[in-house]
Amino acid sequence: DDHTLQGMQSFQWGQTYPTRDLTYQTFWWTSQIDFWNAGLYHLGNVAIHLLSGALLSAVVLQIAGPVVAIIATGCFLLHPINSQAVSYISGRGDLLVTFWILLGTWIALGRGRLWWRGAGMIGCAIAAGASKEYGVVAVPLLLWTVIAWRRAVIQWYGVSISILWIAMGAIAGVLWPRIVAILAVIGNARTDGSALSLSQYIVFQVGAMWDVTTVIVRPWAASFDHDIAGLSVWWIGMALCLTVAVCAVTVLTWTRAPLVSWALGWAVIALAPRLILQTREFIQETHVYLPFLAAWVLAAVAGQRAWTTATEIDAFATLCRQVWQRTGLEGVIDGISGTRSR
């Protein structure tokens, strides 16, 4: 991570490329304490990770209850797939983007006047964009959250939605330099000699995304190095089908299971820039730190449902045994069995 800290002691806003001023500002603060103490930089990453866990718990608590919140937060904080973003100092940008977007999501779901929530969302989106160029994804994620969980204000003829669109427009305007930086990165990637066309790039990225996703169920496979060239045609074909299925389920569960729809939509929106904007790298664990918040929520929901179902089955079995004993059927059956044996 030495390259990340080069020139840190002379850092000034506006000099970093591509536009990660807030991330470098946090490095500068640490460097003023002890520039050569790597432990302090890592401690900063761990602190941001823990704060993001607290915000995730607060967000999920509002939409799914305490049990799901505890399980989702535990998975997020402890799963090895997040170790790359937390362990590497260079992953600070993804940590900060996630922190600011979670804070904006918590504000969007909280109580209070609309103007206060709008101002808070704008501030968090700007901070996310100042942390990393990928932070522009805060705009659609916050909008998606408001649409999914505050459907009462989504009236196209109302004042509320007008204020919302004005706020989102202001965010996009402020983050325009970050959007330009992303386009510049994409342009560099397309002219650096890569043999992949855009369509080939998307196909390989989808395969890489699902390859990284398998680490959720096989945490021992967490690694900085994923061999994308080793993915089979069958795997890539299955990955494309799964991607289409996820998009379809997001739409189909919009009314009946809003939590599932919101979580899947969150993952799709957060991953979309990685899939369709051509850069110089394929998806790695550090890139799914924000999108896979949805995976932890869905895993927690599934765990709660499984526990509830198992409890209901056990209660039903107990009831059947009690009925069986109280009605005397057990004795009758035993008598019949004894007669037959004689």
Side-chain angles (χ1 to χ4, degrees), residues 151-221:
R151 303 184 186 188
V153 303
I154 307 304
Q155 303 293 335
W156 298 101
Y157 52 82
V159 176
S160 298
I161 195 62
S162 300
I163 297 175
L164 176 63
W165 286 118
I166 292 173
M168 290 301 167
I171 295 174
V174 173
L175 295 180
W176 178 247
R178 275 55 181 169
I179 298 173
V180 172
I182 291 178
L183 297 177
V185 172
I186 296 168
N188 292 335
R190 291 180 178 177
T191 59
D192 66 353
S194 175
L196 295 178
S197 65
L198 180 59
S199 59
Q200 291 173 326
Y201 175 82
I202 293 174
V203 169
F204 275 103
Q205 279 287 54
V206 170
M209 175 190 70
W210 284 102
D211 181 54
V212 172
T213 302
T214 62
V215 178
I216 293 177
V217 294
R218 53 187 191 108
W220 59 86

